[in-house]
Amino acid sequence: MPLWRQLHDDLVARLGAGEFESGFPGEVELQRDYGVSRHTVREALRGLREAGLIDSGRGRSTRVRSTTIEQPLGGLYSLYRQVEALGLEQRSEVLGLERTHDSEVAAELGLPADHALVRLERVRLADDEPLAHDVVWLPASVAEGLLAVDFTHAALYDELARVAGTRPTGGRERITALSADDDTARLLGIAPGAACLAIERLGQVADGTPVEYRRSTVRGDRYALLTSWTPHGYQLGASGLQR
């Protein structure tokens, strides 16, 4: 493993342990503490910036970013990967994993009304604090093998690739704002009426065939959507947290 990567991984671990709450060390201090070159330090810090873990720039000191989860618009992303990239522990409370039928969801997936589906319902947590309530349906003809998976600490797309040899490569999302109802508030550990984002996703494989329909409700106080803009307009998929 390259030396800069070793330094990067050690700093990620220390960030996750909360070691830098009083301030992040500068380049010279990191060089001295780790006995490495300035180039090695800068490469490690570049990786931390691209992961959204720190902010730094010419003429200002490096600071640790907040643990708000940031979603890049315009690109397929994995909440599992985004949470772990911040040095947080990703865990799920599985509320349901079953074979079922749902004519409305089947229609969203372009399937006959009686087509069997696999339904997975979870509360997603970051460092044991609720982040999102997530319900996803997949065709049982593709995802039957997921019924035997423990999703307490597993990425859905990785498991789908393992058991079925496929994963979404694109799709569409619809994102709307809402206020948490009583059930959502209880699941996410927030007050009724608190701001949330509702995300509806249709995931597709390379040939455009739908393979996933998902509805997620995410806490507004722990989640942000990112774009960038230029004189020519907005540019989607701008975050360094893309996975």
Side-chain angles (χ1 to χ4, degrees):
M1 186 180 293
L3 192 58
W4 72 265
R5 184 70 194 192
Q6 296 177 46
L7 174 56
H8 170 278
D9 290 352
D10 190 65
L11 291 173
V12 168
R14 294 176 67 187
L15 283 164
E19 286 191 29
F20 302 123
E21 292 180 355
S22 60
F24 195 86
E27 290 184 7
V28 173
E29 185 177 350
L30 289 171
Q31 285 179 252
R32 183 186 67 243
D33 290 350
Y34 284 91
V36 296
S37 69
R38 175 172 291 186
H39 174 76
T40 297
V41 169
R42 288 181 172 176
E43 281 297 298
L45 295 181
R46 179 181 60 80
L48 295 179
R49 284 194 301 272
E50 290 179 354
L53 300 179
I54 62 171
D55 279 331
S56 64
R58 187 180 299 275
R60 69 175 189 269
S61 61
T62 301
R63 66 179 182 86
V64 179
R65 295 191 66 179
S66 68
T67 54
T68 298
I69 312 301
E70 296 177 338
Q71 174 194 328
L73 290 174
L76 188 68
Y77 68 96
S78 164
L79 186 61
Y80 179 100
R81 300 295 181 215
Q82 287 171 290
V83 170
E84 296 217 324
L86 288 172
L88 306 175
E89 180 190 3
Q90 191 284 148
R91 186 172 66 83
S92 294
E93 293 180 357
V94 179
L95 305 181
L97 177 58
E98 60 183 348
R99 182 186 174 99
T100 188
H101 294 83
D102 188 309
S103 59
E104 292 184 7
V105 172
E108 294 284 351
L109 291 168
L111 299 171
D114 61 349
H115 195 97
L117 306 170
V118 171
R119 179 183 182 274
L120 171 63
E121 181 179 5
R122 297 171 288 176
V123 173
R124 317 290 297 276
L125 301 103
D127 272 2
D128 286 327
E129 186 176 359
L131 173 64
H133 174 233
D134 196 57
V135 186
V136 59
W137 295 263
L138 307 99
S141 54
V142 174
E144 188 88 37
L146 295 178
L147 293 171
V149 174
D150 179 3
F151 281 99
T152 301
H153 188 80
L156 174 61
Y157 291 167
D158 288 352
E159 293 301 322
L160 183 62
R162 183 180 64 81
V163 304
T166 190
R167 69 169 67 226
T169 58
R172 62 171 173 81
E173 282 190 338
R174 183 172 182 266
I175 303 170
T176 56
L178 57 78
S179 298
D181 59 23
D182 290 344
D183 289 339
T184 299
R186 176 179 52 81
L187 289 171
L188 297 183
I190 55 180
C196 294
L197 292 173
I199 303 174
E200 182 182 23
R201 172 187 287 194
L202 185 70
Q204 301 169 327
V205 294
D207 65 0
T209 301
V211 72
E212 166 204 24
Y213 178 68
R214 184 188 302 239
R215 294 174 184 161
S216 302
T217 304
V218 188
R219 285 176 53 166
D221 63 337
R222 300 201 69 198
Y223 204 68
L225 304 171
L226 296 185
T227 68
S228 68
W229 57 271
T230 71
H232 305 290
Y234 282 94
Q235 184 176 24
L236 300 182
S239 169
L241 289 179
Q242 294 184 54
R243 289 285 175 260

